[in-house]
Amino acid sequence: MENGQRQGAPLIDLDLYRTFFTIAETSSFTKASELVGRTPSAVSMQIKKLETILGVPVFVREGRSVRLTPEGEALLGNARRILMLNEAAVSLF
């Protein structure tokens, strides 16, 4: 790697996966914000960042509730596995 830059696909922060997963489970940005300990605005910004990284929307906003897009559905299983692997790794210590 030249000048400390990563090559390949960008990495997605675990907090983005956690927030995405929580919204998917609750179908609500507001409920998810309470569970992850962030303001609704911060949660919205996290999802905007995730969607920018991926280049696709992951949620369809419908009033006060949301549902996953097909791309969001595809991401959900991976997010679940990544979060479980992280939890398993941390629990070793």
Side-chain angles (χ1 to χ4, degrees), residues 13-78:
D13 188 284
L14 283 175
D15 283 338
L16 297 180
Y17 280 122
R18 188 174 294 109
T19 298
F20 165 77
F21 184 78
T22 305
I23 294 167
E25 290 291 303
T26 62
S27 299
S28 168
F29 276 61
T30 303
K31 289 178 191 172
S33 71
E34 294 168 6
L35 293 171
V36 299
R38 296 185 183 268
T39 65
S41 176
V43 165
S44 292
M45 288 174 52
Q46 283 186 301
I47 296 305
K48 182 176 174 95
K49 181 176 180 180
L50 177 63
E51 291 174 333
T52 298
I53 291 168
L54 297 175
V56 295
V58 293
F59 291 109
V60 175
R61 286 114 172 124
E62 298 173 327
R64 292 192 160 269
S65 68
V66 295
R67 65 179 168 82
L68 291 166
T69 62
E71 294 83 3
E73 288 282 353
L75 181 61
L76 184 59
N78 287 313

Side-chain angles (χ1 to χ4, degrees), residues 68-89:
L68 291 166
T69 62
E71 294 83 3
E73 288 282 353
L75 181 61
L76 184 59
N78 287 313
R80 180 180 288 117
R81 284 190 296 279
I82 288 165
L83 292 169
M84 288 173 61
L85 284 170
N86 181 69
E87 187 175 314

